[in-house]
Amino acid sequence: FYIDTEHPSAASMVKAYFREGEKPVEITTNVTTVDEYVLGNGKFTKVDLVKIDVETFECDVLMGMKAVMERDHPDIICEVLPDEGLDYRNANRKAIHSIISEAGYSSYWISDHGLVREDAIEGHFPLSNYLFTKSFKEKEKGNLEMQTSNYE
């Protein structure tokens, strides 16, 4: 785990996340997967919503929650950063799209005008969150309708 002590809100599991001139400090910590935590402790009967904001470590989180995704089909809100000319971010976006597509999820960019369906994850700035879901079905004229409501 790396953290910039001058900007403690900037942290990542990936050292390459930091820009030139930033001086991240390495911190050793224990990690686990969502599957291990949720399925291994017996306290969770269903996961409805997951928020992911892990600064380019999204694929690892998604890979570590495949069983929960299969069992519960949770909606996932995930920050996906634009590439800003960084090849690893472009590759990361493509890998995220592959994982969620294989799991049967659709991706929607959460824009300031609402949800925008995207077939490829672009990564937008400054609004960089996406909704990955199986809960919407597309109707005529691009309108979305909730199939089920997990939040009533």
Side-chain angles (χ1 to χ4, degrees):
F1 182 76
Y2 299 92
I3 188 165
D4 183 344
T5 56
E6 292 181 23
H7 305 95
S9 64
S12 178
M13 298 292 281
V14 181
K15 190 173 185 178
Y17 164 77
F18 295 93
R19 297 189 173 134
E20 189 175 324
E22 294 180 324
K23 297 178 176 115
V25 175
E26 184 175 354
I27 298 172
T28 302
T29 185
N30 295 325
V31 296
T32 189
T33 66
V34 173
D35 285 345
E36 289 173 356
Y37 184 77
V38 169
L39 304 176
N41 84 27
K43 294 181 182 179
F44 298 94
T45 56
K46 186 170 189 312
V47 176
D48 292 318
L49 178 68
V50 174
K51 170 63 169 113
I52 301 171
D53 184 349
V54 291
E55 312 303 335
T56 70
F57 205 60
E58 298 83 10
C59 291
D60 297 277
V61 173
L62 291 167
M63 292 296 292
M65 61 180 283
K66 280 188 165 187
V68 167
M69 290 169 66
E70 177 66 29
R71 183 188 82 171
D72 298 337
H73 311 277
D75 289 330
I76 301 166
I77 298 174
C78 182
E79 180 188 52
V80 181
L81 298 172
D83 66 24
E84 297 179 348
L86 302 171
D87 290 339
Y88 71 91
R89 285 191 184 170
N90 185 41
N92 188 52
R93 287 194 330 267
K94 290 178 182 177
I96 293 168
H97 179 68
S98 176
I99 294 166
I100 61 139
S101 294
E102 288 174 14
Y105 280 72
S106 297
S107 62
Y108 299 87
W109 171 45
I110 304 173
S111 78
D112 56 357
H113 300 292
L115 297 177
V116 178
R117 176 78 162 93
E118 289 191 349
D119 292 324
I121 298 170
E122 298 298 325
H124 300 274
F125 185 80
L127 303 173
S128 54
N129 284 304
Y130 279 78
L131 171 66
F132 304 141
T133 186
K134 291 183 173 185
S135 298
F136 290 128
K137 64 179 180 181
E138 297 198 39
K139 295 187 74 175
E140 297 171 29
K141 300 180 185 172
N143 294 327
L144 300 175
E145 179 180 280
M146 210 53 180
Q147 286 180 333
T148 61
S149 177
N150 296 331
Y151 312 110
E152 294 183 326

